[in-house]
Structures are given as structure tokens and as C-alpha cells.
């Protein structure tokens, strides 16, 4: 069996992701956060939130502190020479936050969802023209408005010196009012884009860790070393074409029936290294594991050009030859038979003591059975083993 080593040539690039030098628990404290409902600013209460950051800069804050109820607001602006004013209270809520931080570049993001509801009284030139409610998103978590806060303008990148950062998001035009706003209040609330700005800082200050040095992984494919081995063209066979005594064409009979192996020729192939090939047989074992047929004869080349003895009771002869034929009796074919024994001997069908790599030889198995069998089993089994050894 040959062992083939396959390899690849690959370069490993250093990832661009953050590498946090002090990962773990941290606190994000925000203050002076503002929700702009259109042009109308709503000051949000200060809060602190417990979070976790891993070495890759991934942030999780399970419980958001960006919450508030009954938050007062008021705003005035002159429109077409008249003073338009709105005032009221707001309710504000956000879900859990996830995001990323790269202290080296200062880039930070936090993703969440929000809901805001404002109760409004609107006046124009001192006279009330509106009373109602405006909202952003729905009160149920599934209906809240998805928001991604970043350090892009008007945000401010994270500082590795102070831990300060400002996150901001443009919410677009999500404000819905009931009843609908009259003009010119739409110019204050639903016309302009809404947004949120959250200044804050982390404790401790989160630091950029040392980035790994670039490295190149290099490998090479090598020629496999020669392997001392031997292979067979078949893994099993059976004796058929039997003759003499009470034999049938498929069953060995007595006395001294002779058979040829059905799977012949068996091609025996040396492996990828020079080797000495040896071969040995074994006793015939009955199906009930009773009395064996002993493998007889002197192992090695037959001095008589056939099975060199007549097997007695519970004894048999087994041979290998370069061509098909019976190894005994009136139908025997005289040729250079190799008598198998329980002891391994060099396989003489390989022409040289040291067999070259890859040489293949066809071999034919034949046997002559016992004069009689003590065991009554109708199936007997044996093994023939070829071995390759380093010279």
C-alpha cells in the first residue's frame, strides 16, 4: 500500500477585525443623549449599561438604559413670520444592543430597536391649533424601529485615551401623528428627518490589542517513499473443477480427489519497493472446526513436477504453478509446481530473489485431497499468504 501525501500552498492574511486587549465586562455610561422628533429635541435621561466585549470587538448589552417616561420637551420656531410652538411629554424605549468596536480606528456601532411616543400641544401665534400624539415605531418589540448607531458624522470616533464616544443615527421620516398635524406644524415634526445622538464613555477604557504578525504558511508535495507490500488480484476463491475418486465438478471426493482454484490466475504484484516475496499455506479447517486436514509435503519447488506425495487420511497437498492444471493423477500437467507448506518459503514463480517494484506474476492454485476424512463437514477452508520483505 502506498501512502500519498498531498499538500497545498496557501497564504494567511491578517484579518482586519479588531483585537481587543482587555476583553470582558465593561460599562457604557451615556449622558446628554437627544432624540430629535423631526426638529423637536427630546432630552433623554442619563444611564449606565452593563455589557460584554470579546477579543474580536463584538459587543452585547442585554439591557438598554436608553429608556424614559414623561420626558418634557418644548420647541418654537418662526414660520412665515408667525411663532409656531410645540410642547408635551415623551415616552422612549429601546431594546437590547449589539455591535462592534475597533479602538484602533475608533469605529463603533450599536444596533437596537426603538419606540417613541410624544403627546403634543401645538400653537401658532399664541393660539392652540393641535392636541394629539405622534409616535416612532410600535410599542410591541416586534414593531419597534430598527436602528444602527455609528460613529460616522455627526457621531465622534471612540477614543483610546478617554473611552469617550458619540453614536448617532438618522431615523428618516418615521413620525406618525394622530390626528394628522396641521400646517405649519408638519414643518417641525413630520417633514424633517428624525434622529438620535448618544454621547457616552466606557469603563474601563477598551484598548486595541496587539495585532498578530503576518505569516505565510508554505507546504510542499513530496514523492511518496517506496512501500514494501504485495497485493492480490482476488481476495478469496474456491476449489472447483474437481476429478478422481467420488469427486464431482464442484466437490472434492475420496480418495485423493484433485481440484483447481476457480479464481485462477491469481495475479500477485509486488509494491513500490524491491522485495523478497514468500508464500505459505495452512491446514484445511472444517466448518465445525473438527479434525483438520494437515498440509503435507516439503515446501518449495516440487522435485517431481507435480504433487510429490500421495496424501493419506486427513492430509492434503497444495501447489502453485505458472499455468492451470491438476497437480496429481492421470490428468496431471507436468510443470514447475511450488509445494505449499505451513512455513513460508520464497515464491519461485518470481524469477529473482529480489523482486523489482511493480512486478506482477500470474499464479494457479491446485490441490490433491486426502485418502479419507475423519471430519464429516462438507466445507473446509484454508488460507494462502504472500509476504513482501525488504531484501
Amino acid at each position: 500500500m502506498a501512502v500519498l501525501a498531498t499538500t497545498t500552498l496557501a497564504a494567511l492574511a491578517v484579518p482586519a477585525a479588531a483585537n481587543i486587549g482587555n476583553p470582558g465586562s465593561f460599562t457604557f455610561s451615556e449622558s446628554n443623549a437627544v432624540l430629535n422628533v423631526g426638529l423637536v429635541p427630546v432630552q433623554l435621561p442619563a444611564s449606565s449599561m452593563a455589557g460584554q466585549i470579546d477579543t474580536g470587538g463584538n459587543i452585547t448589552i442585554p439591557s438598554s438604559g436608553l429608556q424614559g417616561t414623561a420626558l418634557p420637551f418644548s420647541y418654537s420656531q418662526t414660520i412665515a413670520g408667525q411663532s409656531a410652538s410645540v410642547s408635551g411629554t415623551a415616552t422612549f424605549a429601546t431594546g437590547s444592543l449589539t455591535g462592534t468596536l475597533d479602538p484602533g480606528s475608533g469605529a463603533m456601532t450599536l444596533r437596537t430597536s426603538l419606540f417613541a411616543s410624544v403627546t403634543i400641544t401645538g400653537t401658532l401665534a399664541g393660539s392652540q391649533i393641535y392636541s394629539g400624539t405622534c409616535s416612532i415605531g410600535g410599542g410591541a418589540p416586534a414593531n419597534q424601529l430598527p436602528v444602527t448607531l455609528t460613529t460616522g458624522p455627526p457621531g465622534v470616533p471612540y477614543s483610546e485615551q478617554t473611552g469617550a464616544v458619540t453614536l448617532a443615527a438618522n431615523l428618516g421620516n418615521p413620525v406618525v401623528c394622530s390626528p394628522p398635524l396641521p400646517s405649519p406644524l408638519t414643518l417641525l415634526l413630520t417633514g424633517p428627518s428624525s434622529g438620535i445622538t448618544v454621547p457616552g464613555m466606557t469603563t474601563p477604557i477598551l484598548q486595541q490589542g496587539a495585532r498578530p504578525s503576518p505569516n505565510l504558511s508554505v507546504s510542499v508535495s513530496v514523492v511518496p517513499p517506496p512501500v514494501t507490500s504485495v497485493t492480490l488480484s482476488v481476495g478469496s476463491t474456491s476449489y472447483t473443477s474437481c476429478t478422481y475418486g467420488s469427486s464431482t465438478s464442484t466437490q472434492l471426493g475420496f480418495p485423493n480427489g484433485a481440484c483447481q482454484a476457480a479464481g485462477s490466475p491469481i495475479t500477485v504484484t509486488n509494491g513500490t519497493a524491491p522485495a523478497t516475496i514468500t508464500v505459505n499455506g495452512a491446514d484445511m479447517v472444517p466448518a465445525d472446526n473438527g479434525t483438520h486436514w494437515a498440509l503435507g509435503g516439503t515446501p518449495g519447488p516440487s522435485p517431481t513436477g507435480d504433487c510429490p506425495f500421495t496424501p493419506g487420511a486427513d492430509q492434503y497437498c497444495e501447489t502453485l504453478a505458472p499455468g492451470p492444471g491438476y497437480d496429481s493423477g492421470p490428468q496431471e500437467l507436468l510443470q514447475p509446481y511450488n509445494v505449499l507448506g505451513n512455513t513460508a518459503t520464497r515464491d519461485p514463480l518470481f524469477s529473482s530473489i529480489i523482486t523489482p517494484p511493480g512486478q506482477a506474476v500470474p499464479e494457479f492454485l491446485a490441490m490433491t485431497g486426502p485418502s479419507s476424512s475423519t471430519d464429516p463437514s462438507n466445507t473446509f477452508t484454508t488460507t494462502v499468504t504472500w509476504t513482501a520483505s525488504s531484501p
Side-chain angles (χ1 to χ4, degrees):
M1 295 177 291
V3 178
L4 176 62
T6 58
T7 55
T8 57
L9 178 67
L12 303 181
V14 177
N19 183 29
I20 304 300
N22 55 336
S25 301
F26 74 97
T27 300
F28 180 64
S29 302
E30 59 83 13
S31 60
N32 299 315
V34 175
L35 170 69
N36 285 295
V37 182
L39 298 178
V40 178
V42 178
Q43 188 72 43
L44 303 179
S47 66
S48 294
M49 302 166 244
Q52 290 282 330
I53 187 168
D54 65 16
T55 55
N58 298 296
I59 294 171
T60 56
I61 300 176
S63 180
S64 173
L66 294 170
Q67 316 282 345
T69 57
L71 304 174
F73 67 89
S74 63
Y75 181 77
S76 298
Q77 183 172 314
T78 300
I79 301 174
Q82 294 183 306
S83 176
S85 300
V86 291
S87 61
T89 58
T91 297
F92 180 74
T94 57
S96 60
L97 298 108
T98 60
T100 59
L101 170 64
D102 181 356
S105 68
M108 182 175 180
T109 64
L110 285 178
R111 294 177 296 277
T112 186
S113 59
L114 67 79
F115 164 72
S117 176
V118 291
T119 301
I120 298 173
T121 298
T123 64
L124 183 63
S127 299
Q128 181 173 324
I129 61 171
Y130 181 79
S131 179
T133 301
C134 296
S135 61
I136 298 175
N143 298 326
Q144 291 183 352
L145 180 70
V147 177
T148 299
L149 297 141
T150 75
T151 49
V156 178
Y158 184 85
S159 170
E160 270 193 293
Q161 286 69 47
T162 65
V165 67
T166 298
L167 296 158
N170 186 325
L171 305 180
N173 302 94
V175 181
V176 177
C177 297
S178 178
L181 288 169
S183 178
L185 297 186
T186 55
L187 300 177
L188 301 182
L189 292 161
T190 59
S193 294
S194 297
I196 183 172
T197 303
V198 182
M201 64 185 304
T202 64
T203 307
I205 298 171
L206 300 171
Q207 301 288 339
Q208 178 76 38
R211 293 189 184 273
S213 299
N215 63 84
L216 181 71
S217 175
V218 181
S219 58
V220 64
S221 180
V222 299
V223 176
V227 176
T228 302
S229 63
V230 63
T231 57
L232 305 177
S233 58
V234 295
S236 63
T237 187
S238 58
Y239 279 114
T240 59
S241 301
C242 300
T243 187
Y244 310 147
S246 61
S247 298
T248 70
S249 61
T250 58
Q251 292 180 304
L252 178 74
F254 305 99
N256 302 122
C259 303
Q260 300 178 57
S264 294
I266 300 161
T267 302
V268 184
T269 304
N270 187 26
T272 59
T276 297
I277 307 298
T278 59
V279 64
N280 64 275
D283 289 355
M284 280 278 188
V285 180
D288 63 3
N289 203 30
T291 302
H292 295 193
W293 295 349
L295 181 58
T298 301
S302 170
T304 59
D306 58 3
C307 176
F309 71 100
T310 300
D314 298 324
Q315 189 181 42
Y316 84 107
C317 175
E318 190 168 38
T319 60
L320 286 167
Y326 297 107
D327 61 6
S328 66
Q331 299 182 49
E332 72 177 32
L333 176 66
L334 292 177
Q335 58 178 330
Y337 288 95
N338 183 43
V339 180
L340 297 181
N342 288 307
T343 301
T345 57
R346 191 183 77 81
D347 186 345
L349 298 183
F350 285 90
S351 58
S352 59
I353 294 176
I354 299 176
T355 302
Q359 182 177 353
V361 172
E363 305 195 19
F364 293 80
L365 269 172
M367 69 165 289
T368 298
S371 59
S372 62
S373 176
T374 301
D375 192 283
S377 297
N378 61 3
T379 302
F380 285 70
T381 304
T382 188
T383 58
V384 180
T385 303
W386 283 263
T387 303
S389 303
S390 299

